[in-house]
Amino acid sequence: MRIKFKHQPFQLDAVKSVVGAFYGQPNESSRFTLDKGRRQKAEYAGDLFQTANNEPEYGFKNHAIKLPDHDILRNIQAVQRENGLKISERLEGQYNLTVEMETGTGKTYTYIRTMFELYKKYGWSKFIIVVPSIAIREGVLKTFQMTEDHFMAEYGSKVRYFVYNSKQLHHIERFAADAGINVMIINSQAFAARGQDARRIYMELDEFHTRRPMDVIAGTNPILIIDEPQSVEGQKTKESLKLFNPLFTLRYSATHREEYNKVYRLDALDAYNMKLVKKISVKGISVKGTSGTESYLYLEGIDVSDKHAPIARLELEIRTKTGLSKKTLRIRSGDDMYPLSGRLEQYRGYKVSEINGRNNTVSFINGVTLRAGDVQGDVSELHLRRIQIRETIKSHLEKERVLFYKGIKMLSLFFIDEVAKYRQYDQDGSEHNGVYAGMFEEEYMDLLNEQLSLGSDDPYVQYLNGIHVKETHKGYFSIDKRSSRFIDSKVSARETDSDDADAYDLIMRDKERLLSFEEPTRFIFSHSALKEGWDNPNVFQICTLKYSDSAVKKRQEVGRGLRLCVNRHGERIDSSVPGIDVHEINVLTVIASESYEQFAKQLQHEIAAALSDRPRKADMGFFMDKVLTNARGEPLKIGEKLAAKLQYTFIKNGYVDDQFRLTDDYYAAVERQDVKLPNELLPYKEPLIEMIKTIYAAGKEEMTENDRDRNIPSVTVNGNFYKKEFKELWDRINRKSVYTVRFDSGELVRNCIAALDADLRVPSVRYAVQHGVMNRIESREQLRQGEAFVTRKTQTEFVHKEASSRIKYDLIGKLMDETRLTRKTIASILAGVKQNTFQQFRENPEEFIIRAAKLINEQKATTIIESITYDVVNETFHTDIFTQNTLKGQLGHNAVSAEKHIYDYVVTDSKIERAFAQALDTSQEVQIYAKLPRGFFIPTPVGNYNPDWAIVFKEGTVRHIYFIAETKGSIDSMELREVEKAKIECARKHFARLSTGQLKYDVVNNYEKLLEIVKG
């Protein structure tokens, strides 16, 4: 099985941001005379550029940047404005660009694609990737190997790449001499460390014809790509990097220490909100009361059901004929631990007074209260590890059952600090389980037997039956080359990471094989030092079997499992897959050796520190000078007066507190789609709210969840699902359809011409004249920050004459790319516009292309929606979209109990949905209803659409018995986004094809509106 790669818009945006910094640079190649060193002289061999032994006389280097610095700075500033980033005032660290990308979002893929684009646009072909460790080096190398065919299909060529080795210098010769894209991957230690190997790159070497390898590399003017610069760039390394003679430097990381001209940002908050990484769920284990008590108790969790009172799963010690043993019992309110334990004295007084399913607590009459995950008593470290291993296996089996039927192989990862705890050897070399491997096999067999008791006809049970316990776990450690035994990874005194190449080679080599169901390995044990530079997309659980080390960051701990998973066909399960919620499937569970609160607090603290450059306040300073663009492509710059008005509106409506931090009232208004704004900003509401999302509000973005709070572990169908009334509704709506768009291209051309002539307004090129004076110089830091100059006055002028440029624009080609219309159609549109409309292209070509494309796309969308027709096909949705779901909930938070729903609980996404569900459940008119799963969707030209509710009303009480409802905070068409409006219109046409008069589809904002419609 091979992982498939697809076009990800955020990765393409990152590529575009780097390429855009050099807009206007000509596409040229450049040769230089390749130093041949002391070898035989060149003789005529029939080829002007070859020596007698067929070695090249000339090499290829990156052509020099022809743009003046002020043009590059202007390009960078344009990119930063488009991406909502802080504007660079100068070229900090000249020709250095920073790209921030969260772990797990494909940083390596992105910079490989950037190489292809830089070569395609500007002819630059020499790249050097500098990495801080062997771990990251091996990961980069694996990505090059995995993406070869993908990029060959995209660009029709391959990258020639190699890992620098001071004993294989022929690769450098080829790197310099080849005209195609060439990449050298090098560890920073290979040129900045003190060892003899590191010095060889600067030495004249006999095997390199008395040349210095660094001189040949520097002659190519390579583009440096620094992977994780915060780990690379010490002062000595910074100086050494200059010796490569780089054309410019690109820096890629999720956690930059220094930033130079940041052109793209995809931070932890962006990645989570855009569902580009897994959601993090924490199953904490907290040891409490270890001194002065011998009463051992472990509260595993609480099961909640509307069929019975909450039941606690509690582990305690029990007297048996052979001695004391620990056993998990199902405990109800009123149960007494003293008799249940076999009358062990330490449990006298431990009678359950309350089991609280909402708070996940068990209280005893002696005043002791335990939360789910709490361990009480004298707990040894080994028993704590056993609990972690058991919890990992237990939640693995629960989650794996769901993923199995979706064709997704699940992996769980254990980090340990000593190989001997997993594998031991006799004197004769025979292998034996270490203590953790022994615990794993014991706990696995106990939990496996529970699964096998569910019946042999279940395909998942048959899958489990085919895997032997010793084959389902595997160790990835360093291997001693003489004895072939596992050994502990070597870690230097000041490091927490290992550089054992053979351990990483094992992990990388098996990366794709581990994703196959034919491979029995499902549980991986690895050294805790091997925690960066590699990952596997199907790691769904991470358990660190050691005490939390403050030197190891939580973000680093979870980083190995953040990447979105792939299915058995190698397809990424992301938002492009129809019928799923990315974060219902992609959940990374961390089984922590500390409480959820401790783990989450530290992780959130680390994330907040990484978001340091995000704004924190919604005040005048934040709004000032921002440019918003509405759906018609019309820009609006927020000046001082409008910024003050906006700030006043936010204060008046309670959207900010006295420190201008966003309040709960603001977020509630966003959820209701009812944010109050000054009248002049109403057409810009959507882009304004998107802009405000860049503000970091502590505590408002919960990026982790407490796994134990999900006390409704699975939502299954009840008797309502099998009732005649729901079956009749389902039979009416389960037919699939296809859409066809037939429209007159001549009409589209005429509409586009009219829209461009009426609405296209391209601003003239502006320039600002600023007059400043230098005040007293107070410090070198003041000079370095550029604060010695103070602006006295500014004046903005417009350039009214045509923009002069050496750049030739393919206007039709650019508009084809932006609109996906044919060259003939674009040419017809441009030929039909008025002369003064087309004249605007000469004044500002870039803005003309952007704004014209938006207007054309608007007309295209309108024409498509007006012209779309749906045809019902014979294919239907299967009922397993209801029965095989991944829904889990927390009672009182996102799950409400129900009587008329097809599940016992309704899991909702918002307060509006919760209120709507409760109103449906108590209504006398409603017979049965269902929250439609994401597997039920309607195809549309702007993406698949999933309606919210299917409702059966009692016959005789309403005009429309069967109703499909979409719930929105606002049903005013002006309030809905263009994409939402388009999807809703498509849904109306789809359901109109299915309707026989009794079926109705509409958008409502509450139950009263629904009743108004169905009663006609």
Side-chain angles (χ1 to χ4, degrees):
M1 190 269 279
R2 302 196 65 179
I3 294 176
K4 297 174 183 175
F5 296 89
K6 60 178 81 169
H7 291 166
Q8 301 276 23
F10 65 93
Q11 292 172 339
L12 299 179
D13 287 344
V15 173
K16 178 184 167 188
S17 298
V18 172
V19 173
F22 301 98
Y23 186 78
Q25 166 76 11
N27 187 331
E28 298 173 351
S29 62
S30 188
R31 284 191 314 204
F32 70 104
T33 303
L34 194 58
D35 178 12
K36 307 308 293 177
R38 295 178 193 167
R39 65 179 89 188
Q40 65 185 82
K41 292 182 180 178
E43 298 175 6
Y44 180 72
D47 187 330
L48 186 62
F49 305 122
Q50 298 288 317
T51 59
N53 61 351
N54 260 352
E55 291 179 337
E57 190 74 36
Y58 289 88
F60 290 85
K61 66 178 183 178
N62 287 331
H63 194 64
I65 293 174
K66 295 291 183 69
L67 297 174
D69 284 359
H70 60 82
D71 278 2
I72 292 179
L73 179 59
R74 189 167 62 230
N75 285 342
I76 289 171
Q77 290 170 337
V79 170
Q80 290 168 333
R81 283 191 195 93
E82 187 175 345
N83 292 336
L85 299 172
K86 181 182 176 183
I87 305 299
S88 296
E89 296 179 2
R90 54 193 170 278
L91 287 173
E92 301 167 285
Q94 191 173 20
Y95 306 151
N96 284 267
L97 303 180
T98 294
V99 175
E100 180 182 345
M101 292 187 75
E102 173 63 357
T103 303
T105 57
K107 161 171 56 81
T108 310
Y109 174 96
T110 300
Y111 63 64
I112 295 174
R113 190 173 192 114
T114 301
M115 296 175 195
F116 278 99
E117 285 296 319
L118 290 171
Y119 178 66
K120 177 182 170 184
K121 301 280 187 187
Y122 309 124
W124 292 325
S125 62
K126 307 295 180 183
F127 301 89
I128 293 177
I129 301 171
V130 183
V131 297
S133 65
I134 287 175
I136 293 176
R137 186 193 74 193
E138 294 300 306
V140 169
L141 182 61
K142 181 68 176 179
T143 304
F144 270 100
Q145 294 164 353
M146 289 167 59
T147 57
E148 267 189 6
D149 293 342
H150 169 74
F151 285 123
M152 181 67 188
E154 288 284 314
Y155 294 96
S157 61
K158 290 189 176 183
V159 171
R160 181 170 282 176
Y161 56 89
F162 70 99
V163 173
Y164 169 79
N165 185 322
S166 63
K167 295 180 176 63
Q168 297 177 359
L169 299 174
H170 62 281
H171 288 303
I172 294 176
E173 186 92 48
R174 191 173 67 176
F175 174 83
D178 188 70
I181 304 176
N182 283 262
V183 179
M184 180 173 83
I185 308 165
I186 187 169
N187 284 63
S188 56
Q189 296 88 342
F191 61 86
R194 297 175 182 173
Q196 186 174 347
D197 272 354
R199 292 198 299 270
R200 282 174 61 84
I201 200 167
Y202 305 111
M203 295 166 60
E204 289 188 353
L205 302 170
D206 289 343
E207 64 265 42
F208 203 50
H209 308 292
T210 64
R211 293 173 299 172
R212 301 192 325 153
M214 181 61 85
D215 291 340
V216 176
I217 295 167
T220 66
N221 279 115
I223 294 168
L224 285 186
I225 294 175
I226 304 182
D227 196 324
E228 306 296 348
Q230 74 281 0
S231 301
V232 168
E233 292 185 310
Q235 194 54 46
K236 188 174 187 296
T237 310
K238 277 186 178 180
E239 293 303 314
S240 301
L241 287 169
K242 294 176 183 176
L243 300 176
F244 284 99
N245 188 31
L247 184 68
F248 58 87
T249 302
L250 303 175
R251 291 174 165 81
Y252 289 81
S253 178
T255 52
H256 290 276
R257 189 180 300 130
E258 296 178 87
E259 295 184 350
Y260 305 83
N261 307 308
K262 184 186 281 189
V263 292
Y264 185 75
R265 178 183 67 204
L266 180 73
D267 60 27
L269 199 56
D270 292 325
Y272 177 79
N273 288 335
M274 295 164 68
K275 299 187 178 181
L276 304 177
V277 292
K278 288 192 182 92
K279 187 176 187 177
I280 300 169
S281 182
V282 182
K283 186 179 273 192
I285 299 169
S286 177
V287 179
K288 56 184 289 186
T290 55
S291 60
T293 177
E294 295 177 351
S295 52
Y296 168 80
L297 290 169
Y298 168 50
L299 180 55
E300 189 179 289
I302 295 175
D303 297 328
V304 176
S305 171
D306 65 342
K307 304 287 192 300
H308 54 71
I311 296 174
R313 286 173 276 114
L314 191 69
E315 184 179 64
L316 64 155
E317 289 185 318
I318 293 178
R319 192 198 309 271
T320 66
K321 291 179 181 179
T322 56
L324 296 181
S325 67
K326 292 183 172 69
K327 187 175 181 180
T328 301
L329 302 178
R330 291 171 64 81
I331 302 297
R332 290 172 169 79
S333 183
D335 285 350
D336 191 340
M337 300 307 105
Y338 177 61
L340 288 173
S341 67
R343 300 191 171 292
L344 291 175
E345 282 301 315
Q346 65 255 36
Y347 292 114
R348 193 179 286 277
Y350 277 91
K351 185 175 182 179
V352 178
S353 61
E354 182 190 36
I355 299 176
N356 191 319
R358 193 176 289 263
N359 297 331
N360 263 358
T361 59
V362 172
S363 299
F364 300 92
I365 61 173
N366 61 4
V368 173
T369 297
L370 296 179
R371 287 183 63 85
D374 282 353
V375 187
Q376 175 186 281
D378 293 324
V379 185
S380 68
E381 184 185 348
L382 274 181
H383 188 69
L384 183 62
R385 303 301 166 227
R386 180 180 286 275
I387 290 173
Q388 283 184 272
I389 290 169
R390 183 197 311 153
E391 290 286 7
T392 304
I393 299 168
K394 187 173 184 294
S395 51
H396 179 107
L397 294 172
E398 288 172 359
K399 193 180 295 190
E400 185 180 55
R401 172 178 284 277
V402 175
L403 296 174
F404 175 81
Y405 291 106
K406 296 182 183 297
I408 299 168
K409 169 79 176 288
M410 179 175 171
L411 301 172
S412 290
L413 172 63
F414 293 99
F415 278 132
I416 66 176
D417 54 2
E418 190 181 347
V419 168
K421 291 176 179 175
Y422 178 74
R423 179 65 46 81
Q424 294 193 345
Y425 299 90
D426 287 344
Q427 288 183 343
D428 62 359
S430 299
E431 295 181 358
H432 295 284
N433 281 340
V435 61
Y436 289 165
M439 284 181 184
F440 173 85
E441 291 186 3
E442 291 167 10
E443 296 295 335
Y444 180 82
M445 289 308 299
D446 284 346
L447 290 164
L448 177 67
N449 288 331
E450 292 178 18
Q451 293 290 328
L452 297 182
S453 67
L454 298 176
S456 58
D457 293 339
D458 186 338
Y460 174 62
V461 171
Q462 292 170 1
Y463 167 68
L464 293 179
N465 257 324
I467 302 173
H468 193 275
V469 63
K470 289 193 178 295
E471 294 178 340
T472 205
H473 64 97
K474 188 171 184 178
Y476 286 85
F477 303 100
S478 295
I479 297 175
D480 182 80
K481 292 180 173 58
R482 287 175 295 180
S483 65
S484 298
R485 296 182 182 184
F486 286 159
I487 57 173
D488 286 323
S489 295
K490 298 180 285 293
V491 183
S492 64
R494 296 187 178 183
E495 300 292 331
T496 60
D497 301 338
S498 167
D499 268 359
D500 284 330
D502 53 356
Y504 285 109
D505 180 56
L506 269 173
I507 294 168
M508 295 300 173
R509 191 182 63 211
D510 289 353
K511 183 171 184 175
E512 288 164 306
R513 185 167 64 83
L514 285 168
L515 299 173
S516 167
F517 282 101
E518 282 67 47
E519 166 57 47
T521 304
R522 294 142 66 219
F523 298 88
I524 299 166
F525 285 80
S526 188
H527 201 287
S528 57
L530 307 181
K531 63 184 175 297
E532 71 161 21
W534 71 275
D535 55 29
N536 190 297
N538 286 23
V539 169
F540 282 90
Q541 295 196 128
I542 292 176
C543 177
T544 302
L545 296 172
K546 59 192 283 286
Y547 283 112
S548 186
D549 185 350
S550 60
V552 178
K553 300 289 188 186
K554 297 299 181 197
R555 287 186 73 193
Q556 200 174 35
E557 259 184 63
V558 303
R560 301 311 100 221
L562 280 181
R563 200 176 296 273
L564 297 181
C565 67
V566 299
N567 64 16
R568 68 190 339 147
H569 305 297
E571 298 160 340
R572 189 83 57 191
I573 306 301
D574 58 19
S575 56
S576 67
V577 178
I580 65 154
D581 181 331
V582 175
H583 277 170
E584 278 181 13
I585 294 174
N586 285 284
V587 179
L588 173 67
T589 303
V590 179
I591 293 83
S593 57
E594 59 198 303
S595 72
Y596 164 75
E597 288 76 15
Q598 287 174 301
F599 188 97
K601 183 179 179 181
Q602 187 178 335
L603 181 62
Q604 294 281 19
H605 177 74
E606 290 172 18
I607 290 170
L611 302 176
S612 58
D613 70 331
R614 276 184 178 252
R616 297 298 208 263
K617 299 179 179 182
D619 58 5
M620 268 187 69
F622 170 75
F623 296 123
M624 274 268 287
D625 296 328
K626 294 289 195 301
V627 178
L628 304 172
T629 305
N630 65 13
R632 299 179 66 82
E634 299 164 341
L636 173 70
K637 184 176 181 180
I638 301 177
E640 185 175 349
K641 187 177 178 182
L642 188 53
K645 197 171 182 180
L646 191 51
Q647 178 179 281
Y648 172 74
T649 303
F650 268 51
I651 294 170
K652 179 183 174 184
N653 289 284
Y655 296 161
V656 291
D657 61 17
D658 57 358
Q659 298 295 314
F660 294 102
R661 292 182 296 244
L662 293 169
T663 64
D664 291 339
D665 287 349
Y666 170 74
Y667 290 102
V670 171
E671 187 177 0
R672 294 193 310 270
Q673 298 179 346
D674 187 32
V675 177
K676 301 290 189 293
L677 294 174
N679 288 334
E680 53 265 62
L681 280 168
L682 289 176
Y684 299 87
K685 178 182 277 192
E686 187 183 333
L688 178 65
I689 290 172
E690 284 300 312
M691 182 184 79
I692 293 171
K693 284 181 182 178
T694 63
I695 295 174
Y696 175 67
K700 295 294 188 292
E701 298 286 349
E702 292 297 332
M703 297 171 66
T704 60
E705 66 178 18
N706 190 339
D707 190 78
R708 297 184 187 279
D709 280 347
R710 299 170 80 173
N711 48 18
I712 302 172
S714 61
V715 180
T716 55
V717 294
N718 59 24
N720 289 332
F721 178 75
Y722 301 101
K723 284 184 177 178
K724 177 173 67 74
E725 291 87 351
F726 183 74
K727 187 178 183 305
E728 288 176 355
L729 167 62
W730 181 241
D731 288 342
R732 290 171 187 269
I733 67 172
N734 68 359
R735 298 280 296 277
K736 293 185 179 181
S737 65
V738 294
Y739 65 83
T740 308
V741 180
R742 295 188 183 90
F743 61 86
D744 179 5
S745 60
E747 182 186 352
L748 175 62
V749 169
R750 289 190 294 275
N751 291 343
C752 289
I753 291 170
L756 290 170
D757 284 339
D759 299 322
L760 183 60
R761 300 290 180 270
V762 178
S764 300
V765 176
R766 293 176 293 177
Y767 65 91
V769 180
Q770 293 183 309
H771 177 225
V773 296
M774 180 179 279
N775 286 341
R776 185 176 61 188
I777 300 173
E778 296 177 351
S779 67
R780 180 165 54 174
E781 181 65 18
Q782 183 196 32
L783 275 175
R784 197 166 68 83
Q785 297 293 333
E787 294 170 353
F789 271 95
V790 176
T791 303
R792 292 297 188 205
K793 62 180 180 180
T794 64
Q795 182 179 357
T796 302
E797 297 286 347
F798 289 85
V799 179
H800 293 293
K801 65 177 185 178
E802 295 176 9
S804 59
S805 173
R806 294 170 298 167
I807 303 164
K808 292 184 178 179
Y809 287 88
D810 177 10
L811 175 58
I812 294 178
K814 285 273 189 182
L815 287 174
M816 284 173 61
D817 290 342
E818 296 294 328
T819 64
R820 303 298 174 93
L821 293 175
T822 64
R823 179 173 285 272
K824 180 181 177 182
T825 302
I826 295 293
S828 299
I829 292 169
L830 294 176
V833 298
K834 295 176 181 176
Q835 186 175 351
N836 60 346
T837 301
F838 192 77
Q839 182 71 23
Q840 296 178 85
F841 171 68
R842 299 182 178 181
E843 293 179 3
N844 194 337
E846 282 297 310
E847 279 298 316
F848 182 94
I849 292 167
I850 292 168
R851 297 183 182 212
K854 281 188 175 179
L855 287 170
I856 292 171
N857 277 329
E858 225 177 81
Q859 294 302 314
K860 177 184 160 190
T862 303
T863 305
I864 286 173
I865 298 306
E866 289 174 353
S867 310
I868 197 168
T869 57
Y870 277 85
D871 293 298
V872 178
V873 295
N874 288 327
E875 199 176 345
T876 60
F877 289 99
H878 197 273
T879 53
D880 63 9
I881 64 172
F882 294 101
T883 56
Q884 293 180 13
N885 68 77
T886 54
L887 291 173
K888 291 187 176 184
Q890 180 184 349
L891 192 63
H893 175 60
N894 69 335
V896 292
S897 60
E899 292 184 6
K900 297 180 180 179
H901 194 262
I902 61 167
Y903 302 135
D904 291 333
Y905 297 90
V906 187
V907 178
T908 58
D909 299 324
S910 66
K911 290 178 182 176
I912 293 168
E913 286 192 350
R914 282 195 288 282
F916 191 74
Q918 287 166 337
L920 289 175
D921 214 66
T922 56
S923 169
Q924 293 298 309
E925 293 90 353
V926 174
Q927 185 98 12
I928 293 173
Y929 68 100
K931 179 85 164 56
L932 288 167
R934 293 183 186 274
F936 180 83
F937 59 88
I938 299 160
T940 83
V942 288
N944 291 319
Y945 167 68
N946 168 229
D948 289 331
W949 307 91
I951 306 159
V952 182
F953 286 93
K954 291 178 182 176
E955 198 164 356
T957 62
V958 296
R959 182 179 172 188
H960 304 286
I961 299 173
Y962 306 108
F963 198 94
I964 307 299
E966 176 73 23
T967 43
K968 294 287 182 190
S970 170
I971 56 173
D972 184 344
S973 64
M974 292 298 290
E975 297 285 328
L976 296 176
R977 294 183 301 167
E978 291 298 320
V979 171
E980 287 178 332
K981 283 195 277 187
K983 287 182 176 181
I984 287 167
E985 286 307 311
C986 289
R988 292 188 198 281
K989 295 193 176 186
H990 165 85
F991 286 113
R993 297 288 295 178
L994 299 178
S995 180
T996 57
Q998 290 184 309
L999 177 66
K1000 175 78 173 171
Y1001 165 83
D1002 215 330
V1003 182
V1004 298
N1005 58 351
N1006 54 44
Y1007 181 66
E1008 288 70 28
K1009 180 65 179 176
L1010 172 64
L1011 270 188
E1012 185 183 311
I1013 295 170
V1014 294
K1015 291 202 171 186

